[in-house]
Amino acid sequence: MQLSLNVLIVDDEPELVKSIVSILNTTLPEYRLNTKEASNGKMALDSVKKETFDLVLMDVRMPEMDGLEALKTIKEVDPRITVVIMTAHSNLQDAITAIKHGAFDYIEKPIDPEKLSALVKKAIVTKEMVSNLTLSSPILDDDIDSKFVGASEKMREIFHLINRLANVDTTVLIRGENGTGKELVARAIHSNSPQKHGPFVAINCGAIPENLMESELFGHERGSFTGAIDRKIGKFQLANKGTLFLDEVGELEPDLQVKLLRVLQERKFMPVGSNREVRTNARIIAATNRNLEKMIEESEFREDFFYRLNVMPIFLPPLRERLDDIAGLVNFFINKFSRKLNRSIRGVTTDTLAILKKYRWPGNIRELENCIERAFIIENGPFITPLSLPENILREINNRSNILLTGKYSGPLDYDIFKEAAEKEFIESALRANEGKINKTVAHANIPKNTLLRKIKKYSIDVSRFAKD
Ligand SMILES: Nc1ncnc2c1ncn2[C@@H]1O[C@H](COP(=O)(O)OP(=O)(O)OP(=O)(O)O)[C@@H](O)[C@H]1O
Ligand SMILES: [Mg+2]
């Protein structure tokens, strides 16, 4: 399909405008060109206010409003518009001023056709790159149930990275806690990449028994081991011309890491029981929630394999560090389940949203999704209320706010008093939950033992009253 290109040509010499139109038409056959003309800056400004242009080619010296003034005003109307200034060699100073005011570039008059077409191409490519960078969210297949939600600054950065990485063929390692969206990112990179029409093949390295993993990845020949009745095509071959997603790559056994390292380096492998090498051009994306650096220290993960995978890492932040995304995700899941379960819920109440923002979400977005799905079953009214949230979420929030409420006393507010009150409350509730057992409290509340003992003494807490009799 031909891309359309809207160009505004601004010059007070009609002959020059005509020749530019014909140069563009002959040198850019890959575009469906729509040209508009204007004979001074004022007319140009009127056109820009009415229509959207991919490019403005503009003379400087014109009656009524000159090119430099028009440029400034056009940029105020639409700062992203690409303006190329046309100027005579003797007036190069104009070109410099124009670039300072946001012109993309300049071209000297008389216009050289080759230079003009090269410049226009450069302007288009740059514009596309810039607009990719500001894309709101990466596209995901045509599956209406999956969409990338992310309003937070951190997710914006990830969107930029996805759009950039989609177009370069490097290995990507996606890292993040459970349920942060690692697989979604992998799919988004695939769907925005040149391999998007090829397959997206996922393999969970943690879910397949060790002895079958090699043949899962590389395939096997008939009779190559007991049970190998038929020839099997491995995931690497299935993912040819597409993307192979190695999920939970941290679970892979070291000897398989060696084999995979070789595939990443040489782009070829040997099916089990075969003596024929097979080439692969699948793009590799891996994901893990494990601390691979620590695993390397403990010799559970190979350093050479790690460096091969880690060419471009993407870190997905946990949900509790992107609270700005919660409202958007909640709405997205409410719409999803309204469609799926054919039951309409209009939103969450304000207090429910406040609770959802306070909770720590150890299971991240997946946990939030499950929480909303569950609320659809329990809630009778049009809005999700705190009563239809899972017990564990309410309990955690409650525990925490009890501590904080201790500080809300009526005396003069003092930070140290508040802090101590909260600390005492925390320690007492931790002891209560652990029946006054010191070692259990240490482990459970993640507090060093000597700190705990010191605080018990400081606040004169009678531990024996928490013991179960
Ligand atoms: N930004 C997002 N917008 C919308 N949905 C999301 C987003 N991130 C994750 N999800 C959804 O949350 C669920 C979990 O995401 P995904 O499976 O990609 O996470 P993961 O990091 O691979 O989890 P795990 O570590 O458990 O394998 C999926 O249903 C996914 O569609
Ligand atoms: Mg996953």
Side-chain angles (χ1 to χ4, degrees):
M1 202 191 78
Q2 256 188 332
L3 292 171
S4 71
L5 189 65
N6 297 330
V7 185
L8 175 66
I9 303 163
V10 193
D11 202 300
D12 54 340
E13 277 178 63
E15 282 309 306
L16 183 74
V17 174
K18 252 193 226 146
S19 79
I20 290 177
V21 173
S22 94
I23 295 173
L24 294 179
N25 272 318
T26 43
T27 56
L28 296 165
E30 62 271 46
Y31 289 93
R32 190 154 31 83
L33 214 57
N34 307 309
T35 50
K36 279 270 154 59
E37 296 159 22
S39 57
N40 62 52
K42 204 158 174 310
M43 280 175 69
L45 189 60
D46 287 342
S47 299
V48 166
K49 282 184 186 162
K50 275 197 261 157
E51 277 175 67
T52 318
F53 291 99
D54 299 300
L55 180 66
V56 178
L57 289 170
M58 185 157 61
D59 186 24
V60 181
R61 308 279 162 106
M62 293 176 294
E64 286 229 32
M65 186 193 266
D66 73 20
L68 293 180
E69 205 187 326
L71 169 69
K72 274 193 255 174
T73 334
I74 286 174
K75 283 277 166 180
E76 277 164 22
V77 176
D78 179 0
R80 286 177 311 177
I81 203 161
T82 308
V83 180
V84 170
I85 290 293
M86 304 184 286
T87 179
H89 182 69
S90 51
N91 298 328
L92 224 49
Q93 189 54 44
D94 286 346
I96 296 166
T97 316
I99 286 173
K100 272 195 202 145
H101 286 116
F104 172 75
D105 209 338
Y106 71 93
I107 183 160
E108 274 180 35
K109 283 181 170 183
I111 306 282
D112 174 288
E114 259 174 45
K115 278 195 187 143
L116 178 64
S117 93
L119 184 57
V120 171
K121 279 182 190 155
K122 189 173 106 184
I124 299 165
V125 170
T126 312
K127 195 181 162 76
E128 275 165 6
M129 269 164 60
V130 171
S131 72
N132 276 344
L133 289 180
T134 51
L135 262 185
S136 52
S137 66
I139 45 161
L140 284 156
D141 296 336
D142 335 292
D143 178 0
I144 52 162
D145 274 342
S146 41
K147 188 183 138 203
F148 239 112
V149 181
S152 62
E153 191 58 35
K154 286 187 172 165
M155 281 317 282
R156 304 265 112 194
E157 282 170 24
I158 303 237
F159 289 169
H160 290 179
L161 210 51
I162 291 173
N163 287 312
R164 285 216 305 271
L165 288 179
N167 292 305
V168 284
D169 185 15
T170 85
T171 308
V172 177
L173 178 62
I174 307 168
R175 308 184 63 173
E177 290 180 10
N178 282 334
T180 43
K182 296 186 292 295
E183 178 153 355
L184 204 62
V185 169
R187 287 182 186 278
I189 294 176
H190 173 77
S191 311
N192 291 274
S193 74
Q195 305 91 302
K196 61 174 170 256
H197 299 298
F200 177 88
V201 178
I203 179 165
N204 185 333
C205 304
I208 293 164
E210 198 191 325
N211 56 344
L212 295 182
M213 191 64 189
E214 184 173 355
S215 104
E216 271 305 310
L217 283 169
F218 309 122
H220 63 238
E221 290 298 333
R222 192 175 160 181
S224 53
F225 55 88
T226 327
I229 300 164
D230 281 317
R231 182 162 170 252
K232 182 186 167 80
I233 305 287
K235 299 279 190 203
F236 262 101
Q237 251 168 306
L238 292 176
N240 224 16
K241 298 195 181 135
T243 303
L244 178 63
F245 178 48
L246 297 171
D247 202 2
E248 304 194 15
V249 74
E251 312 305 318
L252 216 55
E253 291 302 317
D255 56 336
L256 269 167
Q257 294 173 25
V258 179
K259 290 191 171 137
L260 271 177
L261 174 62
R262 185 172 163 252
V263 187
L264 292 185
Q265 281 167 339
E266 297 172 18
R267 304 241 127 225
K268 52 192 179 191
F269 60 90
M270 202 96 90
V272 178
S274 164
N275 47 18
R276 198 171 40 89
E277 268 190 335
V278 180
R279 299 196 70 81
T280 171
N281 58 14
R283 177 183 192 163
I284 311 294
I285 300 181
T288 184
N289 56 15
R290 302 279 299 266
N291 181 342
L292 296 183
E293 289 80 356
K294 189 152 169 269
M295 290 178 74
I296 292 173
E297 269 172 34
E298 287 161 5
S299 305
E300 289 170 22
F301 206 80
R302 291 183 57 105
E303 200 170 1
D304 47 5
F305 184 46
F306 173 74
Y307 286 119
R308 255 291 152 168
L309 285 179
N310 200 38
V311 187
M312 273 314 307
I314 297 186
F315 293 90
L316 286 182
L319 186 55
R320 62 184 164 279
E321 288 176 16
R322 35 173 156 142
L323 297 182
D324 291 347
D325 286 342
I326 290 192
L329 284 164
V330 166
N331 284 335
F332 170 65
F333 291 132
I334 286 179
N335 285 333
K336 172 172 167 179
F337 292 118
S338 292
R339 268 198 313 270
K340 200 169 147 190
L341 307 173
N342 204 10
R343 153 149 168 51
S344 150
I345 281 195
R346 303 230 293 275
V348 293
T349 60
T350 324
D351 47 346
T352 310
L353 188 62
I355 294 176
L356 297 179
K357 284 190 173 180
K358 263 196 219 157
Y359 181 59
R360 289 183 57 75
W361 300 111
N364 294 292
I365 298 169
R366 178 170 301 110
E367 188 182 2
L368 177 63
E369 183 172 3
N370 293 341
C371 161
I372 301 291
E373 184 170 18
R374 178 181 181 278
F376 262 75
I377 299 162
I378 296 177
E379 191 60 62
N380 294 317
F383 289 94
I384 296 176
T385 60
L387 287 176
S388 47
L389 296 179
E391 185 62 30
N392 69 311
I393 294 187
L394 295 175
R395 205 177 328 115
E396 193 197 299
I397 297 298
N398 226 345
N399 276 345
R400 239 183 307 150
S401 52
N402 272 346
I403 292 170
L404 293 172
L405 281 176
T406 333
K408 276 197 188 162
Y409 69 116
S410 51
L413 272 178
D414 177 287
Y415 178 56
D416 284 329
I417 295 176
F418 169 80
K419 240 179 21 185
E420 292 194 346
E423 190 172 62
K424 179 167 182 245
E425 175 76 16
F426 175 80
I427 287 176
E428 284 184 332
S429 67
L431 284 166
R432 191 175 301 119
N434 293 288
E435 296 145 10
K437 295 198 177 84
I438 300 295
N439 285 336
K440 218 172 142 196
T441 308
V442 165
H444 214 251
N446 192 21
I447 176 170
K449 188 167 177 175
N450 47 10
T451 309
L452 178 63
L453 294 174
R454 208 171 61 238
K455 300 293 178 186
I456 288 173
K457 199 162 163 219
K458 176 174 173 186
Y459 300 122
S460 313
I461 297 170
D462 176 11
V463 179
S464 66
R465 76 186 156 101
F466 303 119
K468 238 191 178 160
D469 32 39

